[in-house]
Amino acid sequence: MTIAKTTYGRRSFLKSTALAGGGMMLGFSWLASCKPTPEQLIKMPKEWFKINGFLKIGENGLVTIMSPNPEIGQNVKTSMPMIVAEELDVDWNDVLVEQAPLNTAIFTRQLAGGSQSIRAGWEGLRMAGATARRMLQEAAAQAWQVPVGEITTEAGVLHHKSSGKSAGYGEVASAAAKIPVPKEVTLKQLKDFKIIGTSRKNVDGLNLVTGKPLFGLDYHRDGMLIAMITHPPAFGLKLKSFDASEAKTMPGIKDVFTIKTYEEGYTKTAFDNNAFNELVVVVGNTTWETMNAKKALKIEWEPSPDTTTEMNLFGRTMAVHFPAGLENTDTHKVKMAEQSTKKGKVVRKDGDPEAAFKKAAKIVERSYTCPFLAHNTMEPMNFFAHVTADKAELAGPVQTPEIMEGSVAARLNLPLEKVDIQMTRMGGGFGRRLYGHYLTEVAVISQKMQAPIKLVYTREDDMTNGIYRPSYEAHYRAALDSDNNLIGFEVRTGGVPESPLFANRFPAGSVDNYLAEDWTVDSNITVGAFRAPRSNFIAGAEQSFLDEVAEAAGKDPIDFRLELLKRAQDDPVGKDNDYDAERYAGVLELVRKKSNWENESPNVYRGVSAYFCHNSYVAQVLDMVMENDKPTVQKVYCAIDCGIVVNPDAATNLAEGGVVDGIGHAMYSGLTFKNGVPQQNNFDKYRLIRHSEAPKSIEVHFVQSDIDPTGLGEPPFPPIMGALANALYKATGQRHYHQPFVSERRVMG
Amino acid sequence: MANFNLNINGENRQLDVDPTTPILWVLRDHFQLVGTKYGCGIAQCGACTIHMEGAAVRSCQLPVSAVGDKAITTIEGLSENGDHPVQKAWLEHDVYQCGYCQAGQIMSASSLISENPNPTDKEIETAMNGNICRCGTYTRIKKAIKSAAKSEAL
């Protein structure tokens, strides 16, 4: 038996096909003609041999690798299998990729969040490939009666040099599947990597450009009904009564009723967070009919009371307070400004900041704010469920399937093993789909209707349902001595309802006298993780402030940061600094070189920023030009240290996206409230960055590293907000303190 | 309810439906052509872009009753094998992240190129400004459109 060889990548068109063994698959080349040549007839295996939970090998040498984690656009469905394929030592063109089922017995941490998929999966994925390779070697050694140590592998073929024997993986897969899993395996040396560190195309590329059903909203089941929910129009309101008499008579409508997402007495986890527990549900045959009936509902709302709920927040039971009342952005701003003038809770103190400020030659003092943000994943919240008496079958987009399985099981009073969640590709996550109340909602609806149901949120439902990025304020003070050394630094920060403080991050550790305080203002508006939580504000604020301090000190902004980082490296202040000053300085040095920082061009205004989060370091230089009096982002240089880069072009794409996302949110986006009502509920009022506002070009550079991979989905996002603010200042002479900057600007349109 | 004879991706399709139903939901719910995406429902995001007689239109704001016998093309019908120059350029540049908006982006881009085979950067920005990409793949989209335009010209 030989391995089927083709002249181009087979996997890109095979992956959409059911992987049942047997039969001849008809492949087609989208790069060449539409008529298949004989070489393009791909032979699918007659039989798959499961080597371990991560992979199976067909008798003809094709390999299927399971991608364990949810795919939200971070491209783990390509990069995680690449790591397995590397250690398996197989030709990437012979690999098919499948989304793994939720299976906590085989896979650990099936979660998309915290930029940790690759970092946390790294070792397990390598082991999965390496143990399979070892089992194939042992099977060959037994067949050929030679020592296993003499068997080498290359691109899916086993070789025994002295006897001249060789065999494809497929030929020994059946025997290898019966070999006991080795206790120890040797992992490849970094220098021997052939797949990791090379750019491989997205395994779902062809499916995406041809519109195949990949997303939760595309999920279909015969007999499936559509459900939509209506939640209170304002935070601080709850359902009083409803009249569905008209809606129920409308065409295609099956039923209208209310549900409670969680039952009284249930202790919610952080990921069960929801603002509105009682919802009015409309169930109909089609989306349009259901949408229309939803509009015909007559609902009365009433004020919800002041409540304190016990929640299980990452293993700790904590009381969370939701005050009564209808909140306003104007009031939030006043409350935050008030807090900024008061002493906060001291989280870290080094030296004697008070004395430092007393003897300072210069003091710089500034405040920064940002609004609430809605995640606005392009695919609105949705989920499929079919709940029967003894089991629940769910499918759709969720970042926390493992956790939500528990929530659904608890709500339906079913054992965990009777709840199955299938992961679809997600039309964006950004943290929003960590919070899976919509899974419980659809499960309860399906249980009540005794039918397969797809729950669909309209854009308006999605944008006004809560789980927002909090609104924050940060107040900074810096003390310079007469030689322009930074001798004191204070940050006092907080938000509605959470604080964005990271007390042990830079510039902590680089200043003798340092004070970090925080505060919070309670709110009934629900918040949640939003791409790079807390960092997504504090990075921009801190990096804008440092720019002003550097200016006051008469120093180049990169030199000034490097000077502080040198101090943190040589003689760090305090013990709990949670960053590596050398790697931090490394990305600044790299971006300085790549952006040609010293060589200023006329009419190009530059801002720099650097930040550490999710275990990675990012420095950025943003070049702005004025076009018809409008500041325009010409180019962004981005230097990243995230350890080993698995899939460089995909990593570059992710970093480019982070840059665009950061510029967009800092410049244009915000959610405001009037009497508890979100004032923006769709993209006509909520501004997201568009093509013409994106940087004209983005250059991404990675620090060459042999450190195990760290985070990448989030780190490029927070610092760009600082680089943007600093370049805006250079371009316009105006400092920008309040996001979205467009609301502060007279020039920016 | 009313009967409609539609021309979708070169096929005649019939259905009996509420005449106000946007063609987006006809495609998605009635014909299971789900490549065309719902994003906002108010023609602000472009995820639902299709072609009507070759021109890009937002299907979420187009009632089925307004279609008549005009030819509708969706992402599924843009090419037989995913080999339209714009689709090939998207694959070449590995444009997508989450990918949800990309069918709409491709439909807008292919309409642009058919009308203007050699668009400038500014023309691309103007034509594509109605299509939001929440992941921020705008720079790649622009590159892909330029290489698709180049390959068309060859």
Side-chain angles (χ1 to χ4, degrees), chain A residues 447-486:
Chain A
Q447 189 180 44
K448 186 169 170 82
M449 292 300 294
Q450 298 185 9
I453 299 282
K454 183 164 69 181
L455 171 67
V456 178
Y457 279 30
T458 62
R459 173 58 57 196
E460 291 82 1
D461 295 334
D462 187 281
M463 207 180 289
T464 59
N465 205 317
I467 322 279
Y468 302 123
R469 194 281 299 271
S471 180
Y472 296 123
E473 174 150 352
H475 185 80
Y476 288 96
R477 287 210 305 160
L480 294 167
D481 68 12
S482 51
D483 295 326
N484 287 313
N485 296 307
L486 182 66

Short mmCIF file of all heavy atoms in Angstrom, two decimals, chain A residues 447-486:
data_model
loop_
_atom_site.label_atom_id
_atom_site.label_comp_id
_atom_site.label_asym_id
_atom_site.label_seq_id
_atom_site.Cartn_x
_atom_site.Cartn_y
_atom_site.Cartn_z
N GLN A 447 -36.78 22.01 26.17
CA GLN A 447 -37.43 21.11 27.12
C GLN A 447 -38.94 21.39 27.16
O GLN A 447 -39.76 20.49 27.10
CB GLN A 447 -36.82 21.30 28.51
CG GLN A 447 -37.27 20.27 29.52
CD GLN A 447 -36.63 20.51 30.87
OE1 GLN A 447 -36.54 21.65 31.34
NE2 GLN A 447 -36.16 19.44 31.49
N LYS A 448 -39.27 22.68 27.20
CA LYS A 448 -40.68 23.07 27.28
C LYS A 448 -41.43 22.72 25.98
O LYS A 448 -42.55 22.24 26.01
CB LYS A 448 -40.78 24.56 27.59
CG LYS A 448 -42.21 25.01 27.83
CD LYS A 448 -42.26 26.42 28.39
CE LYS A 448 -43.68 26.95 28.40
NZ LYS A 448 -44.46 26.50 29.55
N MET A 449 -40.80 22.99 24.86
CA MET A 449 -41.45 22.76 23.56
C MET A 449 -41.40 21.30 23.12
O MET A 449 -42.07 20.91 22.17
CB MET A 449 -40.79 23.62 22.47
CG MET A 449 -41.00 25.12 22.60
SD MET A 449 -42.73 25.61 22.53
CE MET A 449 -43.19 25.18 20.85
N GLN A 450 -40.55 20.53 23.78
CA GLN A 450 -40.30 19.13 23.38
C GLN A 450 -39.99 19.06 21.88
O GLN A 450 -40.57 18.25 21.14
CB GLN A 450 -41.50 18.26 23.73
CG GLN A 450 -41.75 18.24 25.22
CD GLN A 450 -42.86 17.29 25.62
OE1 GLN A 450 -43.36 16.51 24.84
NE2 GLN A 450 -43.24 17.36 26.88
N ALA A 451 -39.08 19.92 21.47
CA ALA A 451 -38.73 20.00 20.04
C ALA A 451 -37.30 20.52 19.92
O ALA A 451 -36.80 21.19 20.82
CB ALA A 451 -39.68 20.95 19.33
N PRO A 452 -36.66 20.20 18.79
CA PRO A 452 -35.35 20.82 18.53
C PRO A 452 -35.53 22.32 18.28
O PRO A 452 -36.40 22.71 17.50
CB PRO A 452 -34.83 20.09 17.30
CG PRO A 452 -35.98 19.37 16.70
CD PRO A 452 -37.05 19.25 17.74
N ILE A 453 -34.73 23.11 18.94
CA ILE A 453 -34.89 24.58 18.90
C ILE A 453 -33.55 25.24 18.58
O ILE A 453 -32.51 24.86 19.12
CB ILE A 453 -35.32 25.12 20.29
CG1 ILE A 453 -36.66 24.53 20.74
CG2 ILE A 453 -35.35 26.66 20.30
CD1 ILE A 453 -37.89 25.12 20.11
N LYS A 454 -33.62 26.26 17.72
CA LYS A 454 -32.45 27.15 17.59
C LYS A 454 -32.86 28.51 18.13
O LYS A 454 -33.79 29.13 17.63
CB LYS A 454 -31.99 27.26 16.14
CG LYS A 454 -30.72 28.12 16.00
CD LYS A 454 -30.02 27.92 14.66
CE LYS A 454 -30.83 28.48 13.51
NZ LYS A 454 -30.16 28.27 12.22
N LEU A 455 -32.16 28.93 19.18
CA LEU A 455 -32.38 30.25 19.76
C LEU A 455 -31.53 31.26 19.01
O LEU A 455 -30.34 31.05 18.82
CB LEU A 455 -31.99 30.23 21.24
CG LEU A 455 -31.95 31.59 21.96
CD1 LEU A 455 -33.35 32.19 22.09
CD2 LEU A 455 -31.31 31.44 23.34
N VAL A 456 -32.17 32.33 18.56
CA VAL A 456 -31.46 33.36 17.78
C VAL A 456 -31.68 34.72 18.44
O VAL A 456 -32.82 35.13 18.65
CB VAL A 456 -31.99 33.41 16.33
CG1 VAL A 456 -31.28 34.51 15.54
CG2 VAL A 456 -31.80 32.06 15.64
N TYR A 457 -30.59 35.41 18.76
CA TYR A 457 -30.70 36.79 19.23
C TYR A 457 -30.65 37.71 18.01
O TYR A 457 -29.83 37.51 17.11
CB TYR A 457 -29.50 37.16 20.12
CG TYR A 457 -29.57 36.71 21.56
CD1 TYR A 457 -30.25 35.56 21.95
CD2 TYR A 457 -28.93 37.46 22.55
CE1 TYR A 457 -30.30 35.18 23.28
CE2 TYR A 457 -28.96 37.07 23.88
CZ TYR A 457 -29.64 35.93 24.24
OH TYR A 457 -29.67 35.55 25.55
N THR A 458 -31.50 38.73 18.00
CA THR A 458 -31.33 39.76 16.97
C THR A 458 -30.11 40.58 17.37
O THR A 458 -29.62 40.49 18.50
CB THR A 458 -32.54 40.71 16.92
OG1 THR A 458 -32.63 41.39 18.18
CG2 THR A 458 -33.83 39.96 16.64
N ARG A 459 -29.61 41.41 16.46
CA ARG A 459 -28.49 42.28 16.81
C ARG A 459 -28.84 43.14 18.01
O ARG A 459 -28.04 43.33 18.92
CB ARG A 459 -28.10 43.16 15.61
CG ARG A 459 -27.05 44.23 15.91
CD ARG A 459 -25.74 43.66 16.45
NE ARG A 459 -25.16 42.69 15.56
CZ ARG A 459 -24.21 41.82 15.91
NH1 ARG A 459 -23.71 41.82 17.13
NH2 ARG A 459 -23.75 40.95 15.03
N GLU A 460 -30.09 43.63 18.02
CA GLU A 460 -30.50 44.50 19.12
C GLU A 460 -30.52 43.73 20.45
O GLU A 460 -30.09 44.25 21.48
CB GLU A 460 -31.89 45.10 18.83
CG GLU A 460 -31.91 46.12 17.69
CD GLU A 460 -31.98 45.50 16.29
OE1 GLU A 460 -32.02 44.25 16.18
OE2 GLU A 460 -31.98 46.27 15.30
N ASP A 461 -31.02 42.50 20.42
CA ASP A 461 -31.00 41.68 21.64
C ASP A 461 -29.57 41.51 22.12
O ASP A 461 -29.28 41.59 23.32
CB ASP A 461 -31.55 40.26 21.35
CG ASP A 461 -33.02 40.26 20.98
OD1 ASP A 461 -33.74 41.19 21.39
OD2 ASP A 461 -33.44 39.32 20.28
N ASP A 462 -28.70 41.25 21.17
CA ASP A 462 -27.30 40.96 21.47
C ASP A 462 -26.61 42.17 22.10
O ASP A 462 -25.89 42.07 23.09
CB ASP A 462 -26.61 40.56 20.17
CG ASP A 462 -25.19 40.07 20.38
OD1 ASP A 462 -24.28 40.91 20.55
OD2 ASP A 462 -24.99 38.85 20.37
N MET A 463 -26.85 43.34 21.53
CA MET A 463 -26.12 44.53 21.97
C MET A 463 -26.65 45.10 23.28
O MET A 463 -25.96 45.84 23.97
CB MET A 463 -26.18 45.60 20.86
CG MET A 463 -24.99 46.55 20.90
SD MET A 463 -25.04 47.84 19.61
CE MET A 463 -24.70 46.94 18.13
N THR A 464 -27.90 44.77 23.62
CA THR A 464 -28.51 45.39 24.81
C THR A 464 -28.66 44.40 25.97
O THR A 464 -29.34 44.69 26.94
CB THR A 464 -29.91 45.96 24.47
OG1 THR A 464 -30.73 44.90 23.97
CG2 THR A 464 -29.81 47.04 23.41
N ASN A 465 -27.99 43.25 25.87
CA ASN A 465 -28.18 42.19 26.85
C ASN A 465 -27.14 42.18 27.97
O ASN A 465 -27.16 41.31 28.84
CB ASN A 465 -28.17 40.83 26.11
CG ASN A 465 -28.93 39.78 26.87
OD1 ASN A 465 -28.81 39.67 28.09
ND2 ASN A 465 -29.73 39.00 26.19
N GLY A 466 -26.20 43.11 27.94
CA GLY A 466 -25.21 43.16 29.02
C GLY A 466 -23.95 42.39 28.72
O GLY A 466 -23.66 42.09 27.56
N ILE A 467 -23.20 42.06 29.79
CA ILE A 467 -21.87 41.43 29.68
C ILE A 467 -20.94 42.38 28.90
O ILE A 467 -20.31 41.99 27.92
CB ILE A 467 -21.88 40.03 29.02
CG1 ILE A 467 -23.10 39.22 29.42
CG2 ILE A 467 -20.60 39.29 29.31
CD1 ILE A 467 -23.05 38.52 30.74
N TYR A 468 -20.85 43.60 29.34
CA TYR A 468 -20.05 44.59 28.62
C TYR A 468 -18.64 44.73 29.19
O TYR A 468 -18.38 44.33 30.33
CB TYR A 468 -20.73 45.97 28.72
CG TYR A 468 -22.14 46.00 28.18
CD1 TYR A 468 -23.19 46.41 28.99
CD2 TYR A 468 -22.41 45.62 26.88
CE1 TYR A 468 -24.49 46.44 28.50
CE2 TYR A 468 -23.71 45.64 26.38
CZ TYR A 468 -24.74 46.05 27.19
OH TYR A 468 -26.02 46.08 26.70
N ARG A 469 -17.77 45.35 28.42
CA ARG A 469 -16.51 45.83 28.98
C ARG A 469 -16.90 46.98 29.90
O ARG A 469 -17.63 47.89 29.50
CB ARG A 469 -15.61 46.34 27.84
CG ARG A 469 -14.14 46.57 28.21
CD ARG A 469 -13.78 47.84 28.96
NE ARG A 469 -14.07 49.06 28.26
CZ ARG A 469 -13.24 49.68 27.42
NH1 ARG A 469 -12.05 49.20 27.18
NH2 ARG A 469 -13.61 50.81 26.82
N PRO A 470 -16.41 46.96 31.17
CA PRO A 470 -16.78 48.02 32.11
C PRO A 470 -16.31 49.39 31.66
O PRO A 470 -15.42 49.51 30.82
CB PRO A 470 -16.06 47.63 33.41
CG PRO A 470 -15.71 46.18 33.26
CD PRO A 470 -15.54 45.95 31.79
N SER A 471 -16.90 50.41 32.24
CA SER A 471 -16.41 51.78 32.06
C SER A 471 -15.36 52.03 33.14
O SER A 471 -15.57 51.66 34.30
CB SER A 471 -17.58 52.75 32.21
OG SER A 471 -17.15 54.06 32.03
N TYR A 472 -14.23 52.60 32.76
CA TYR A 472 -13.12 52.77 33.71
C TYR A 472 -12.64 54.20 33.78
O TYR A 472 -12.83 55.00 32.85
CB TYR A 472 -11.90 51.93 33.28
CG TYR A 472 -12.05 50.43 33.26
CD1 TYR A 472 -11.82 49.71 32.08
CD2 TYR A 472 -12.38 49.72 34.41
CE1 TYR A 472 -11.91 48.33 32.05
CE2 TYR A 472 -12.46 48.32 34.39
CZ TYR A 472 -12.23 47.63 33.21
OH TYR A 472 -12.30 46.26 33.17
N GLU A 473 -11.96 54.51 34.89
CA GLU A 473 -11.21 55.78 34.98
C GLU A 473 -9.88 55.48 35.65
O GLU A 473 -9.81 54.68 36.59
CB GLU A 473 -11.99 56.82 35.79
CG GLU A 473 -11.18 58.10 36.03
CD GLU A 473 -12.02 59.36 36.16
OE1 GLU A 473 -13.24 59.32 35.91
OE2 GLU A 473 -11.42 60.40 36.50
N ALA A 474 -8.83 56.13 35.19
CA ALA A 474 -7.51 55.98 35.84
C ALA A 474 -6.92 57.37 36.06
O ALA A 474 -6.94 58.21 35.15
CB ALA A 474 -6.57 55.16 34.98
N HIS A 475 -6.43 57.56 37.26
CA HIS A 475 -5.81 58.83 37.62
C HIS A 475 -4.33 58.55 37.93
O HIS A 475 -4.03 57.71 38.77
CB HIS A 475 -6.51 59.41 38.85
CG HIS A 475 -6.03 60.76 39.21
ND1 HIS A 475 -6.46 61.90 38.55
CD2 HIS A 475 -5.15 61.18 40.15
CE1 HIS A 475 -5.84 62.95 39.07
NE2 HIS A 475 -5.05 62.54 40.04
N TYR A 476 -3.46 59.25 37.23
CA TYR A 476 -2.02 59.02 37.40
C TYR A 476 -1.31 60.27 37.92
O TYR A 476 -1.70 61.40 37.58
CB TYR A 476 -1.37 58.66 36.05
CG TYR A 476 -1.71 57.29 35.54
CD1 TYR A 476 -2.74 57.10 34.62
CD2 TYR A 476 -0.97 56.18 35.94
CE1 TYR A 476 -3.04 55.83 34.14
CE2 TYR A 476 -1.26 54.91 35.46
CZ TYR A 476 -2.30 54.74 34.56
OH TYR A 476 -2.58 53.49 34.07
N ARG A 477 -0.26 60.04 38.70
CA ARG A 477 0.64 61.13 39.10
C ARG A 477 2.08 60.64 38.97
O ARG A 477 2.39 59.50 39.31
CB ARG A 477 0.43 61.52 40.57
CG ARG A 477 -0.86 62.29 40.81
CD ARG A 477 -0.73 63.25 41.99
NE ARG A 477 -0.29 62.60 43.22
CZ ARG A 477 0.25 63.26 44.23
NH1 ARG A 477 0.46 64.58 44.16
NH2 ARG A 477 0.61 62.62 45.33
N ALA A 478 2.95 61.48 38.47
CA ALA A 478 4.37 61.13 38.38
C ALA A 478 5.19 62.27 38.94
O ALA A 478 4.87 63.44 38.71
CB ALA A 478 4.76 60.86 36.93
N ALA A 479 6.23 61.93 39.68
CA ALA A 479 7.14 62.93 40.25
C ALA A 479 8.50 62.81 39.61
O ALA A 479 9.07 61.71 39.54
CB ALA A 479 7.25 62.73 41.76
N LEU A 480 9.01 63.93 39.09
CA LEU A 480 10.36 63.96 38.50
C LEU A 480 11.25 64.84 39.38
O LEU A 480 10.80 65.87 39.89
CB LEU A 480 10.30 64.57 37.09
CG LEU A 480 9.54 63.78 36.02
CD1 LEU A 480 9.29 64.66 34.79
CD2 LEU A 480 10.31 62.52 35.62
N ASP A 481 12.49 64.42 39.55
CA ASP A 481 13.41 65.28 40.30
C ASP A 481 14.04 66.30 39.34
O ASP A 481 13.72 66.32 38.14
CB ASP A 481 14.44 64.45 41.08
CG ASP A 481 15.43 63.72 40.18
OD1 ASP A 481 15.47 64.02 38.96
OD2 ASP A 481 16.16 62.85 40.69
N SER A 482 14.96 67.11 39.86
CA SER A 482 15.49 68.19 39.02
C SER A 482 16.35 67.67 37.88
O SER A 482 16.62 68.36 36.91
CB SER A 482 16.27 69.18 39.88
OG SER A 482 17.21 68.46 40.67
N ASP A 483 16.80 66.38 38.00
CA ASP A 483 17.54 65.77 36.88
C ASP A 483 16.62 64.97 35.96
O ASP A 483 17.09 64.16 35.15
CB ASP A 483 18.64 64.83 37.43
CG ASP A 483 19.67 65.60 38.21
OD1 ASP A 483 19.96 66.76 37.82
OD2 ASP A 483 20.18 65.06 39.20
N ASN A 484 15.33 65.17 36.13
CA ASN A 484 14.32 64.47 35.32
C ASN A 484 14.32 62.96 35.50
O ASN A 484 14.01 62.20 34.57
CB ASN A 484 14.48 64.84 33.83
CG ASN A 484 14.01 66.25 33.58
OD1 ASN A 484 12.93 66.64 34.04
ND2 ASN A 484 14.83 67.03 32.89
N ASN A 485 14.69 62.53 36.70
CA ASN A 485 14.51 61.11 37.02
C ASN A 485 13.12 60.91 37.61
O ASN A 485 12.63 61.76 38.36
CB ASN A 485 15.55 60.66 38.06
CG ASN A 485 16.95 60.76 37.51
OD1 ASN A 485 17.25 60.23 36.44
ND2 ASN A 485 17.81 61.48 38.22
N LEU A 486 12.51 59.76 37.26
CA LEU A 486 11.18 59.44 37.81
C LEU A 486 11.39 58.93 39.24
O LEU A 486 11.93 57.84 39.45
CB LEU A 486 10.50 58.38 36.94
CG LEU A 486 9.09 57.96 37.35
CD1 LEU A 486 8.10 59.11 37.19
CD2 LEU A 486 8.62 56.75 36.53
#
